Amino acid sequence: MTDTALSERSADVIVVGAGPAGSTTAYYLAKAGLDVLLLEKTAFPREKVCGDGLTPRATKQLVAMGIDVSEEAGWLRNKGLRIISGGNRLLLDWPELAAYPDYGLVRKREDFDELLAQQAVKAGARLYERCNVAEPLLDERTGRITGVRAKLGEEKAPAAFYAPLVVAADGNSTRLSLAMGLHRREDRPMGVAVRTYFTSPRHDDDYLESWLELWDRRGPQARQLPGYGWIFGMGDGTSNVGLGILDSSAAFRELDWREVLRTWVASMPEDWGFTPENMTGPIRGAALPMAFNRQPHYTRGLLLVGDAGGLINPFNGEGIAYAMESGAIAADVITQAHARATDAKRELALNAYPKILKDTYGGYYTLGRAFVKLIGNPKVLQMCTQRGLTHPVLMRFALKLLANLTDPTGGDAMDRIINGLTRITPNA
């Protein structure tokens, strides 16, 4: 390899994966003046399985990155959550908080991820598309990562990229983490999301809609499933319709989730348009790794962000906000470490990353794991979904808890209760 080619493929940091976690990491690193390579296995625009609905928590991260979130720029704003369960319907506006905006957003992942990647490029990151990372390059003496091997372009030409630090933002499958010996924790919840799109008159709905009752009706007695269905208007003539299920159900591995989705939408009013002839694409599914299901989040020069580190919220299956937040945290830790004078001092700074994540999310995720176990009990689940909506104050508290939307200081009594609970809960 020539000196020029070597310099083009060397950097201060390599970020593997240009989803929300990777692009956010690359953006903040580049903004801080570091040389960053952002490696994406596909080419933009590309589709991802997602509900496409963003809470105020994710919206805050977009605003912080300087993304134009106006309706003129193609975003549909939403005011809150419409919850349907037990024959009841409840409209909950997003809470008014100092820490977060009072609106959410909707946008297809087909171009959402590209917007974030381009923002990272504008900040100075070097993006390689169609760069499929196969394995880490390791120092034989220390086992520390020194770069990655990849196949580049449509011709899949072998390539090597070099950096003293690598960020794994390569999603749930995270081949990079597995190659470094970081395997999934079996004691952490997993979920699955399946979704499709329909042309529908409900496309411009300004509330995200959540149905808390999903049923398996195959046997003589119907079983309620721990999860929820969603209907999110996209503002472009279509609605994103899908469901998320937790693995705390015995039916988790038995059921054909695509069939569950078809059965569910078949029960909807005909004038909503959720019929096979109005489906604009296939039903697709994806795994949801939750509650720090891969640890440690830093080892031997490798940092894990987003789905690679299992940062999905176990309460509601939200991933984008935590992907972006963890990317920003990782970038700050790396930037501070980069400024240290010796390897030992840099390592000291880098080793703080897992602790910062646990201090930030650990107690909340532990509560979420308890919640997952609780609703795995059919009787508890049925009581919550049948009776919860008859208590609006309780549901407002639940919205703040499940969406993780509280003011960290001050705030109302609900905020103080939730913040107190997360502080005293072990952050394993």
Side-chain angles (χ1 to χ4, degrees), residues 90 109 129 203 244 355:
L90 185 64
R109 288 291 296 277
E129 296 178 63
H203 74 96
K355 185 177 187 307

Side-chain angles (χ1 to χ4, degrees), residues 112-393:
F112 173 85
D113 288 16
E114 185 174 13
L115 280 172
L116 267 60
Q118 288 306 317
Q119 200 74 350
V121 170
K122 287 177 192 174
R126 293 185 281 143
L127 173 65
Y128 280 75
E129 296 178 63
R130 293 192 178 90
C131 182
N132 193 355
V133 171
E135 60 184 359
L137 291 166
L138 300 175
D139 183 311
E140 291 182 3
R141 184 174 54 85
T142 63
R144 188 180 180 87
I145 194 166
T146 58
V148 296
R149 292 191 196 280
K151 293 180 179 178
L152 193 57
E154 291 183 5
E155 64 279 9
K156 298 182 179 177
F161 297 85
Y162 302 91
L165 289 173
V166 178
V167 177
D170 49 349
N172 173 58
S173 58
T174 186
R175 283 193 293 172
L176 202 55
S177 303
L178 289 170
M180 292 283 287
L182 301 178
H183 297 280
R184 182 169 80 85
R185 290 184 58 158
E186 298 295 332
D187 63 339
R188 299 298 156 106
M190 280 287 288
V192 65
V194 294
R195 67 97 179 96
T196 189
Y197 296 95
F198 294 93
T199 54
S200 171
R202 299 199 56 194
H203 74 96
D204 57 355
D205 192 347
D206 56 4
Y207 280 82
L208 302 180
E209 187 164 288
S210 179
W211 293 56
L212 301 189
E213 288 184 276
L214 293 173
W215 294 89
D216 170 19
R217 302 188 187 278
R218 294 173 304 160
Q221 190 168 357
R223 287 188 295 176
Q224 190 173 353
L225 303 171
Y228 66 93
W230 70 73
I231 301 170
F232 298 164
M234 301 304 300
D236 63 355
T238 67
S239 292
N240 179 317
V241 182
L243 53 87
I245 307 288
L246 290 161
D247 67 357
S248 55
S249 166
F252 183 75
R253 289 173 181 83
E254 302 170 17
L255 284 174
D256 178 346
W257 299 113
R258 290 167 176 79
E259 191 56 40
V260 175
L261 179 59
R262 290 188 193 97
T263 303
W264 178 54
V265 297
S267 68
M268 303 287 180
E270 193 175 338
D271 59 359
W272 289 2
F274 301 148
T275 55
E277 59 270 20
N278 289 335
M279 194 184 294
T280 63
I283 299 174
R284 298 187 186 277
L288 303 175
M290 298 174 174
F292 292 159
N293 81 331
R294 202 179 304 274
Q295 297 183 40
H297 290 99
Y298 172 72
T299 181
R300 294 175 289 143
L302 182 75
L303 296 92
L304 276 56
V305 294
D307 288 9
L311 270 104
I312 290 179
N313 182 345
F315 280 107
N316 66 358
E318 180 182 12
I320 289 177
Y322 303 93
M324 297 181 72
E325 288 176 14
S326 63
I329 292 168
D332 182 59
V333 169
I334 292 168
T335 301
Q336 293 299 324
H338 185 73
R340 302 288 172 94
T342 66
D343 288 346
K345 289 175 181 177
R346 282 190 284 273
E347 203 64 13
L348 182 65
L350 292 165
N351 277 311
Y353 177 61
K355 185 177 187 307
I356 294 169
L357 287 184
K358 286 191 174 183
D359 287 348
T360 305
Y361 306 115
Y364 179 76
Y365 283 175
T366 301
L367 285 175
R369 283 158 44 212
F371 169 79
V372 167
K373 283 186 179 177
L374 199 62
I375 66 170
N377 182 316
K379 290 181 180 177
V380 174
L381 177 63
Q382 194 163 4
M383 182 182 71
C384 291
T385 55
Q386 293 283 332
R387 300 181 188 175
L389 267 65
T390 61
H391 301 278
V393 174

